[in-house]
Short mmCIF file of all heavy atoms in Angstrom, two decimals:
data_model
loop_
_atom_site.label_atom_id
_atom_site.label_comp_id
_atom_site.label_asym_id
_atom_site.label_seq_id
_atom_site.Cartn_x
_atom_site.Cartn_y
_atom_site.Cartn_z
N PRO S 460 -85.60 -24.98 121.26
CA PRO S 460 -84.39 -25.78 121.08
C PRO S 460 -84.56 -27.20 121.62
O PRO S 460 -85.63 -27.55 122.14
CB PRO S 460 -83.36 -25.01 121.90
CG PRO S 460 -84.15 -24.40 123.01
CD PRO S 460 -85.53 -24.13 122.46
N GLY S 461 -83.50 -27.98 121.53
CA GLY S 461 -83.50 -29.35 122.05
C GLY S 461 -83.65 -29.35 123.56
O GLY S 461 -83.40 -28.34 124.23
N GLY S 462 -84.04 -30.49 124.10
CA GLY S 462 -84.16 -30.59 125.54
C GLY S 462 -84.54 -31.99 125.96
O GLY S 462 -84.95 -32.81 125.14
N PHE S 463 -84.40 -32.24 127.25
CA PHE S 463 -84.73 -33.56 127.81
C PHE S 463 -85.58 -33.38 129.05
O PHE S 463 -85.42 -32.41 129.78
CB PHE S 463 -83.43 -34.30 128.17
CG PHE S 463 -82.61 -34.65 126.96
CD1 PHE S 463 -81.77 -33.73 126.38
CD2 PHE S 463 -82.73 -35.91 126.39
CE1 PHE S 463 -81.04 -34.04 125.26
CE2 PHE S 463 -82.00 -36.23 125.26
CZ PHE S 463 -81.15 -35.29 124.69
N GLY S 464 -86.50 -34.29 129.27
CA GLY S 464 -87.30 -34.27 130.50
C GLY S 464 -88.57 -33.45 130.35
O GLY S 464 -88.69 -32.58 129.48
N ILE S 488 -86.18 -27.31 117.04
CA ILE S 488 -84.99 -28.14 116.96
C ILE S 488 -85.15 -29.35 117.88
O ILE S 488 -85.34 -29.17 119.09
CB ILE S 488 -83.75 -27.32 117.35
CG1 ILE S 488 -83.50 -26.23 116.29
CG2 ILE S 488 -82.53 -28.21 117.51
CD1 ILE S 488 -82.36 -25.32 116.60
N CYS S 489 -85.10 -30.52 117.33
CA CYS S 489 -85.16 -31.78 118.07
C CYS S 489 -86.42 -31.83 118.95
O CYS S 489 -87.50 -32.03 118.43
CB CYS S 489 -83.86 -32.00 118.83
SG CYS S 489 -83.55 -33.74 119.12
N LEU S 490 -86.29 -31.57 120.26
CA LEU S 490 -87.50 -31.56 121.09
C LEU S 490 -88.50 -30.53 120.54
O LEU S 490 -89.71 -30.72 120.63
CB LEU S 490 -87.14 -31.23 122.55
CG LEU S 490 -88.30 -31.31 123.54
CD1 LEU S 490 -88.82 -32.75 123.66
CD2 LEU S 490 -87.87 -30.81 124.92
N GLY S 491 -87.97 -29.47 119.94
CA GLY S 491 -88.81 -28.42 119.34
C GLY S 491 -89.64 -28.96 118.19
O GLY S 491 -90.73 -28.45 117.90
N GLN S 493 -90.47 -32.35 118.07
CA GLN S 493 -91.36 -33.32 118.72
C GLN S 493 -92.57 -32.62 119.32
O GLN S 493 -93.71 -33.08 119.17
CB GLN S 493 -90.59 -34.10 119.79
CG GLN S 493 -89.42 -34.91 119.22
CD GLN S 493 -88.62 -35.63 120.29
OE1 GLN S 493 -88.82 -35.42 121.49
NE2 GLN S 493 -87.69 -36.47 119.87
N GLU S 512 -91.64 -39.86 126.75
CA GLU S 512 -90.64 -39.31 127.67
C GLU S 512 -91.30 -38.58 128.85
O GLU S 512 -90.73 -38.50 129.94
CB GLU S 512 -89.72 -38.34 126.89
CG GLU S 512 -88.53 -37.85 127.68
CD GLU S 512 -87.62 -36.93 126.88
OE1 GLU S 512 -87.94 -36.59 125.72
OE2 GLU S 512 -86.57 -36.54 127.43
N PHE S 513 -92.50 -38.04 128.62
CA PHE S 513 -93.16 -37.28 129.67
C PHE S 513 -94.32 -38.05 130.29
O PHE S 513 -95.24 -37.47 130.86
CB PHE S 513 -93.65 -35.92 129.13
CG PHE S 513 -92.64 -35.23 128.27
CD1 PHE S 513 -92.99 -34.59 127.10
CD2 PHE S 513 -91.29 -35.24 128.64
CE1 PHE S 513 -92.04 -33.97 126.31
CE2 PHE S 513 -90.33 -34.63 127.86
CZ PHE S 513 -90.70 -33.99 126.69
N ILE S 522 -94.94 -39.15 120.35
CA ILE S 522 -93.48 -39.29 120.36
C ILE S 522 -93.16 -40.50 121.23
O ILE S 522 -93.60 -40.56 122.38
CB ILE S 522 -92.80 -38.03 120.96
CG1 ILE S 522 -93.28 -36.75 120.25
CG2 ILE S 522 -91.28 -38.14 120.93
CD1 ILE S 522 -92.99 -36.67 118.77
N MET S 538 -78.13 -43.02 122.72
CA MET S 538 -78.97 -42.23 121.82
C MET S 538 -78.53 -42.34 120.37
O MET S 538 -77.49 -42.90 120.05
CB MET S 538 -78.90 -40.77 122.25
CG MET S 538 -79.72 -40.51 123.47
SD MET S 538 -79.83 -38.77 123.79
CE MET S 538 -78.28 -38.52 124.57
N ARG S 567 -79.03 -35.87 118.18
CA ARG S 567 -78.80 -36.26 119.58
C ARG S 567 -80.16 -36.45 120.24
O ARG S 567 -80.71 -35.53 120.83
CB ARG S 567 -78.01 -35.17 120.31
CG ARG S 567 -77.70 -35.55 121.76
CD ARG S 567 -76.93 -34.49 122.48
NE ARG S 567 -76.56 -34.94 123.81
CZ ARG S 567 -76.86 -34.30 124.93
NH1 ARG S 567 -77.52 -33.16 124.89
NH2 ARG S 567 -76.48 -34.78 126.08
N HIS S 568 -80.73 -37.61 120.07
CA HIS S 568 -82.05 -37.85 120.66
C HIS S 568 -82.30 -39.34 120.83
O HIS S 568 -81.62 -40.19 120.26
CB HIS S 568 -83.14 -37.24 119.79
CG HIS S 568 -83.22 -37.85 118.42
ND1 HIS S 568 -84.29 -38.61 118.03
CD2 HIS S 568 -82.36 -37.84 117.39
CE1 HIS S 568 -84.06 -39.03 116.79
NE2 HIS S 568 -82.91 -38.58 116.38
N ARG S 569 -83.30 -39.61 121.64
CA ARG S 569 -83.64 -41.00 121.95
C ARG S 569 -85.01 -41.35 121.39
O ARG S 569 -85.27 -42.47 121.03
CB ARG S 569 -83.61 -41.16 123.47
CG ARG S 569 -83.75 -42.57 123.96
CD ARG S 569 -83.50 -42.65 125.46
NE ARG S 569 -82.09 -42.52 125.78
CZ ARG S 569 -81.57 -41.62 126.60
NH1 ARG S 569 -82.34 -40.72 127.18
NH2 ARG S 569 -80.28 -41.59 126.83
N TYR S 570 -85.91 -40.37 121.31
CA TYR S 570 -87.31 -40.63 120.92
C TYR S 570 -87.56 -40.23 119.48
O TYR S 570 -86.80 -39.44 118.89
CB TYR S 570 -88.25 -39.86 121.85
CG TYR S 570 -88.15 -40.35 123.28
CD1 TYR S 570 -87.22 -39.79 124.15
CD2 TYR S 570 -88.95 -41.39 123.74
CE1 TYR S 570 -87.10 -40.24 125.46
CE2 TYR S 570 -88.83 -41.84 125.05
CZ TYR S 570 -87.91 -41.27 125.90
OH TYR S 570 -87.79 -41.72 127.19
N GLU S 571 -88.66 -40.76 118.91
CA GLU S 571 -89.01 -40.52 117.51
C GLU S 571 -90.49 -40.20 117.38
O GLU S 571 -91.28 -40.54 118.26
CB GLU S 571 -88.76 -41.81 116.68
CG GLU S 571 -87.32 -42.22 116.58
CD GLU S 571 -86.49 -41.32 115.68
OE1 GLU S 571 -87.06 -40.52 114.92
OE2 GLU S 571 -85.25 -41.42 115.76
N GLN S 612 -85.83 -32.90 113.51
CA GLN S 612 -85.39 -33.80 114.57
C GLN S 612 -83.88 -33.64 114.81
O GLN S 612 -83.34 -34.04 115.82
CB GLN S 612 -85.71 -35.24 114.15
CG GLN S 612 -85.44 -36.29 115.20
CD GLN S 612 -86.28 -36.10 116.45
OE1 GLN S 612 -87.45 -36.43 116.49
NE2 GLN S 612 -85.67 -35.56 117.48
N HIS S 614 -80.07 -31.36 114.74
CA HIS S 614 -79.52 -30.17 115.40
C HIS S 614 -78.70 -29.36 114.39
O HIS S 614 -77.47 -29.41 114.42
CB HIS S 614 -78.62 -30.58 116.57
CG HIS S 614 -79.37 -31.04 117.77
ND1 HIS S 614 -79.85 -30.17 118.73
CD2 HIS S 614 -79.72 -32.27 118.17
CE1 HIS S 614 -80.46 -30.85 119.67
NE2 HIS S 614 -80.41 -32.13 119.36
N1 LIG B 100 -85.69 -35.58 124.66
C1 LIG B 100 -85.89 -35.82 123.26
C2 LIG B 100 -85.33 -37.16 122.82
O1 LIG B 100 -84.53 -37.74 123.50
C3 LIG B 100 -85.29 -34.70 122.44
C4 LIG B 100 -83.81 -34.62 122.53
C5 LIG B 100 -83.26 -33.30 122.08
O2 LIG B 100 -84.00 -32.34 121.94
N2 LIG B 100 -81.96 -33.22 121.87
O3 LIG B 100 -85.66 -37.64 121.77
#
Side-chain angles (χ1 to χ4, degrees):
F463 293 83
I488 293 177
C489 206
L490 186 65
Q493 298 177 352
E512 188 178 5
F513 316 138
I522 307 300
M538 284 189 280
R567 182 180 185 236
H568 63 112
R569 188 172 285 124
Y570 296 88
E571 294 288 346
Q612 186 62 78
H614 284 275

